[in-house]
Amino acid sequence: NAGVTQTPKFQVLKTGQSMTLQCAQDMNHEYMSWYRQDPGMGLRLIHYSVGAGITDQGEVPNGYNVSRSTTEDFPLRLLSAAPSQTSVYFCATNRVGGTEAFFGQGTRLTVV
Amino acid sequence: DAKTTQPNSMESNEEEPVHLPCNHSTISGTDYIHWYRQLPSQGPEYVIHGLTSNVNNRMASLAIAEDRKSSTLILHRATLRDAAVYYCILSPRRGNEKLTFGTGTRLTIIP
């Protein structure tokens, strides 16, 4: 099992560009979430999903869109990248009633 | 949401026990206490969780105060691989799709 796979691992964008961060899981977990981690900080929740077709906003959703058309995939879209979105992005999954969340290895995004 | 307070950093010698404290004085009766750790350049990984009773697993032990206003993560015999940032997190359910991370405790292991 691959667990939680995030692509790409590194990305550099110019201000105003758009891109999609991919997250795929093979654990058949219902819950999927996106977090961002700025230097020296803990993770902050961007968006989350409790199942296919259902998404909701977290603590810092502005500038990001998500959709969940399948159980396996939960892409995060940056509509118009800004330098303030320079961060490391983590995707996580969790099953209903589960005790632990599983995180991907992260995508390091730099916006110049 | 209930808040947790952890020391910014701690050091410990290799092969000795480590006690990582967490204060959560505003914890509600239904909040679970979770611990995650983040190794350098990796995503967080689950360590342990508990509600009221002390808990043990293969990675660590969790000691919860009787009034539940504090808890301690215990690594019984620290290795260099245990050097990480440790996060103490409260959640209203046993498992949660929404975790609120603080800044955690950076644990340094001295060889």
Side-chain angles (χ1 to χ4, degrees):
Chain A
N1 284 350
V4 182
T5 302
Q6 291 186 235
T7 55
K9 288 187 169 47
F10 302 92
Q11 182 71 50
V12 178
L13 286 180
K14 293 183 179 178
T15 297
Q17 286 185 315
S18 62
M19 80 158 293
T20 299
L21 280 63
Q22 302 291 345
C23 176
Q25 55 114 347
D26 61 2
M27 295 180 286
N28 204 31
H29 286 174
E30 296 87 352
Y31 296 158
M32 296 186 76
S33 312
W34 276 104
Y35 296 82
R36 61 176 286 175
Q37 184 173 33
D38 300 325
M41 306 285 289
L43 282 70
R44 291 184 294 170
L45 182 65
I46 305 171
H47 286 285
Y48 65 99
S49 169
V50 299
I54 306 169
T55 64
D56 207 345
Q57 295 181 352
E59 180 186 356
V60 288
N62 292 340
Y64 307 95
N65 273 359
V66 292
S67 60
R68 182 105 178 264
S69 56
T70 67
T71 300
E72 294 78 19
D73 300 298
F74 191 42
L76 178 72
R77 297 183 190 84
L78 279 70
L79 308 172
S80 177
S84 60
Q85 294 178 305
T86 293
S87 190
V88 181
Y89 291 83
F90 291 99
C91 177
T93 73
N94 197 342
R95 65 177 177 84
V96 173
T99 57
E100 61 182 286
F102 295 84
F103 287 82
Q105 292 297 299
T107 294
R108 185 174 296 274
L109 175 68
T110 302
V111 182
V112 297
Chain B
D1 289 347
K3 185 178 167 61
T4 63
T5 303
Q6 299 178 253
N8 288 334
S9 62
M10 291 183 63
E11 287 185 350
S12 180
N13 293 321
E14 193 178 9
E15 299 186 1
E16 290 187 356
V18 181
H19 291 236
L20 295 162
C22 181
N23 287 323
H24 30 77
S25 58
T26 59
I27 189 171
S28 76
T30 55
D31 281 340
Y32 284 82
I33 303 160
H34 295 254
W35 283 82
Y36 281 76
R37 72 179 185 180
Q38 187 173 21
L39 302 173
S41 301
Q42 294 192 26
E45 65 175 347
Y46 168 84
V47 177
I48 200 167
H49 81 284
L51 183 61
T52 57
S53 303
N54 294 345
V55 184
N56 300 298
N57 67 19
R58 63 175 179 81
M59 288 181 70
S61 296
L62 176 60
I64 302 173
E66 195 169 337
D67 63 5
R68 299 209 329 126
K69 293 184 185 300
S70 65
S71 61
T72 302
L73 179 70
I74 302 165
L75 307 179
H76 295 287
R77 191 168 169 269
T79 68
L80 295 177
R81 195 194 173 276
D82 291 320
V85 178
Y86 287 78
Y87 296 99
C88 170
I89 299 169
L90 303 182
S91 78
R93 291 190 292 278
R94 194 160 63 100
N96 202 320
E97 71 279 14
K98 301 185 290 181
L99 296 172
T100 300
F101 288 79
T103 53
T105 297
R106 181 174 298 279
L107 176 65
T108 300
I109 304 299
I110 301 168

